[in-house]
Amino acid sequence: FRSGYWPQHFVDAWPLRQQMERAEAVKCPSAPAQLAGMKKVQQLLCERNELLKFLPEDQATAVSSTFGKQFDPSSSSKETREAVEAARAHPGDWVLKPQVEGSGELFFDEDIPRILDSRTQEQLAEFILMERVRPPCTPSAILHQGEVVLRSAVAELGIFGTFVAEGGEVRCNKAVGHLLRSKGQQTNQ
């Protein structure tokens, strides 16, 4: 299903999506599964009170220890205001991600203060401000124009899962594969 990744999709395609969700047909992804993968939902789950709606205290503590900090830059909370100021002062430590999936338009470095200072609070709600992850670099052999070239690279691990539910009953929820990408050390993605 290739809709529901941009806000306009929810205006144009929502009546069709509602019909699909009401049907007994298999949806891939279902609306709840699609929403769970969106950056805004991920940002909200970084807030302890939101995470505790889904996990007991001990599990929430363990899981949240793996999270990078994420903020809605349009929020007026003290914690968010401090993060926005930190992003202005040290933009290399942050990434500004649009809410939409697959946009490829992430903002780094000097672009972050420019975006933060040129948008209204309402426009900033389209983004998630995230602490930048700096994975370790390792030597990597790549094939470039028929030649094997060594370069410094970072790895990005993607886990594929299968989730099937019937109403509130989970029938299957398991990891079924993975993809390990190799990206150049200087790649901003």
Side-chain angles (χ1 to χ4, degrees):
F1 190 71
R2 294 300 302 163
S3 185
Y5 294 95
W6 288 85
Q8 189 60 35
H9 291 171
F10 289 97
V11 174
D12 297 340
W14 190 246
L16 176 60
R17 184 62 184 251
Q18 284 179 306
Q19 287 181 340
M20 290 174 56
E21 290 298 318
R22 289 183 188 122
E24 292 188 24
V26 172
K27 277 80 65 184
C28 185
S30 65
Q34 188 172 7
L35 289 169
M38 291 190 160
K39 291 174 184 73
K40 181 63 179 180
V41 172
Q42 295 167 7
Q43 177 257 315
L44 288 171
L45 288 174
C46 287
E47 296 176 12
R48 187 153 194 86
N49 61 328
E50 295 296 330
L51 188 59
L52 288 171
K53 292 177 182 177
F54 302 98
L55 295 174
E57 183 77 34
D58 61 329
Q59 291 179 7
T61 299
V63 168
S64 64
S65 72
T66 67
F67 294 172
K69 295 176 186 171
Q70 297 186 51
F71 301 92
D72 172 352
S74 70
S75 170
S76 59
S77 74
K78 181 179 185 283
E79 187 178 29
T80 298
R81 293 295 94 211
E82 290 171 355
V84 167
E85 288 311 310
R88 281 187 178 106
H90 305 284
D93 295 338
W94 298 87
V95 58
L96 195 59
K97 296 182 172 190
Q99 184 53 251
V100 295
E101 291 296 322
S103 71
E105 191 175 10
L106 307 179
F107 296 99
F108 296 90
D109 304 319
E110 67 279 347
D111 287 333
I112 292 175
R114 180 180 58 78
I115 297 293
L116 291 173
D117 294 336
S118 66
R119 307 286 170 101
T120 66
Q121 288 302 104
E122 185 177 311
Q123 290 170 327
L124 287 175
E126 299 173 13
F127 297 94
I128 299 299
L129 180 63
M130 184 177 152
E131 184 178 41
R132 192 166 181 180
V133 176
R134 301 277 185 185
C137 294
T138 58
S140 179
I142 63 163
L143 188 62
H144 179 71
Q145 296 179 348
E147 301 282 326
V148 175
V149 178
L150 284 177
R151 70 173 184 181
S152 188
V154 296
E156 180 180 280
L157 176 63
I159 305 292
F160 297 101
T162 298
F163 179 83
V164 179
E166 187 173 344
E169 183 183 344
V170 176
R171 301 280 186 160
C172 176
N173 184 8
K174 63 182 180 180
V176 295
H178 68 276
L179 173 66
L180 187 63
R181 289 182 181 94
S182 177
K183 297 181 175 183
Q185 178 182 3
Q186 303 303 323
T187 301
N188 273 340
Q189 288 294 325

